Amino acid sequence: MTTNPFEDDSADYLVLVNNEQQHSIWPSGLGIPIGWTAVCEARPRQECLEYVETHWTDMRPAGIRGRE
């Protein structure tokens, strides 16, 4: 049985950010998608999730923040 590379707790991941300052975790063995940049080195999945939780506190895309 193959493990989903996006849900493998034993694998290392990257935290990616796009130009709208949205965050995502990404398996470190896969190429980084166009438009995204790694903001930390490869680390365990749970550490990446914690990084996203503490650094992405406003889920709105950067392009619409402050328009209220």
Side-chain angles (χ1 to χ4, degrees):
M1 182 172 161
T2 303
T3 302
N4 180 338
F6 291 90
E7 297 178 358
D8 184 355
D9 288 332
S10 66
D12 283 339
Y13 290 79
L14 301 170
V15 176
L16 305 181
V17 176
N18 66 15
N19 64 339
E20 289 287 344
Q21 297 176 358
Q22 296 168 310
H23 290 59
S24 179
I25 65 169
W26 195 259
S28 64
L30 297 179
I32 297 173
I34 294 171
W36 292 82
T37 302
V39 294
C40 67
E41 61 189 34
R43 55 180 75 177
R45 184 173 189 271
Q46 186 58 43
E47 287 183 32
C48 289
L49 292 171
E50 290 168 5
Y51 180 99
V52 169
E53 185 175 320
T54 60
H55 290 85
W56 191 22
T57 56
D58 187 342
M59 301 302 236
R60 295 174 297 164
I64 65 167
R65 287 185 214 152
R67 288 187 184 176
E68 313 67 73

